[in-house]
Amino acid sequence: MAHFLSLVALQMMLTILHLLVSGVLSSATFTIVNKCEYTVWPGILSNAGIAQLSTTGFALQRDESRTVNLPSSWGGRLWGRTHCTQDSSTGKFSCITGDCGSGKVECAGNNAAPPATLAEFTLDGYGGMDFYDVSLVDGYNLPMLVVPQGGTGANCTSTGCVVDLNGSCPSELRVSSAGESVACKSACMAFGQAQYCCSGAYGSPDTCKPSSYAQLFKKACPRAYSYAYDDKSSTFTCAGAADYLITFCPSPRASQKSSEGGNPASSSSPNSPTMDSSMVYEGAWATNRASSPFTFKDGFGSLLTIAGTVGVAIAIWPARRLV
């Protein structure tokens, strides 16, 4: 009997070791930190076919943090909701930016209503790699920084949009509440035209080029996705196990606005928009350098492409609304 029990225990141990090696029991974590001067309500959406996490939405007060455990091979997106309230008579919860339409703090499988700054992930994806980006393709509502903790590779580094673009958002893209600019739409959302949405005759990398609005976003936030085919400079990868630190309003805080800008629609020149926050941006990367074990690149032309083709990169990511 003792011999039988020993065999059972050995088999159980071997099974657990197999599961750990295969990644079934292993998981990554998101540590989400709010450094904004206001409350942020993170929302999380798992990709189709992937089970929702134990939490899909919660509140973070200023300087609060929360760690979320992820299953292996997880994919989805994360964003911050702002200016949220709960109706005292109906109990319905809603947000002015990033609302997921569930009527509750938990998003429960609902996506973010644009405009919203999005962090997108495919963990343990193609070739066992993690793929991630911070996207302004759905517009912008607050600064966000993603820092991998662990993982390897020349392209395993921090990304995000760390400046406040709301104060310098062109008037035709601006979302306001009580006289305050609270978000910045994508050009596709604002105008619905094919050249901004990369649709119809503009639905390929050859025909869809970054608009002056996309270039405005890119100048302010060089590492963030600015339009549909912005893969080479805006998609990042990590090999091996990595956790991710996600910070809303990293230093400098959102109260430090980028330069007041011009109006892209008023000029046909792609250089006419002025939302030049490069000094603030570089200062923020320098501030966060100490928290990341990875090298920060000075330029973005040498960043690795995903599997060598735009097509593979597009296949990896969820469908996007386009700038």
Side-chain angles (χ1 to χ4, degrees), residues 43-242:
I44 305 174
L45 174 68
S46 300
N47 289 344
I50 298 177
Q52 293 295 321
L53 304 181
S54 59
T55 181
T56 59
F58 48 91
L60 282 181
Q61 305 293 328
R62 175 183 172 183
D63 291 327
E64 280 190 332
S65 64
R66 181 164 176 174
T67 298
V68 177
N69 294 316
L70 306 166
S72 62
S73 302
W74 183 82
R77 49 177 49 181
L78 182 149
W79 67 97
R81 294 168 287 173
T82 66
H83 300 275
C84 301
T85 57
Q86 189 163 21
D87 189 285
S88 59
S89 59
T90 65
K92 182 179 179 180
F93 178 83
S94 62
C95 304
I96 294 176
T97 80
D99 188 56
C100 55
S102 66
K104 300 178 181 180
V105 174
E106 293 278 349
C107 287
N110 291 345
N111 205 350
T117 311
L118 299 174
E120 301 176 307
F121 295 87
T122 296
L123 305 182
D124 191 21
Y126 181 83
M129 303 280 284
D130 288 356
F131 299 83
Y132 58 100
D133 68 55
V134 170
S135 174
L136 306 183
V137 176
D138 275 3
Y140 167 97
N141 69 333
L142 80 172
M144 183 189 297
L145 177 69
V146 175
V147 181
Q149 313 260 291
T152 60
N155 205 26
C156 185
T157 187
S158 303
T159 186
C161 182
V162 300
V163 296
D164 178 11
L165 304 184
N166 290 328
S168 53
C169 181
S171 59
E172 61 271 32
L173 304 184
R174 189 172 299 163
V175 176
S176 298
S177 175
E180 177 188 2
S181 180
V182 297
C184 198
K185 300 176 186 177
S186 70
C188 177
M189 180 181 178
F191 309 122
Q193 297 177 12
Q195 66 266 34
Y196 297 123
C197 298
C198 290
S199 60
Y202 296 90
S204 74
D206 292 331
T207 57
C208 185
K209 303 301 181 183
S211 68
S212 58
Y213 292 99
Q215 292 181 43
L216 180 152
F217 285 159
K218 196 66 176 178
K219 186 176 182 181
C221 301
R223 295 182 185 229
Y225 247 94
S226 62
Y227 81 114
Y229 299 108
D230 191 13
D231 300 284
K232 290 184 179 180
S233 65
S234 301
T235 306
F236 297 84
T237 59
C238 287

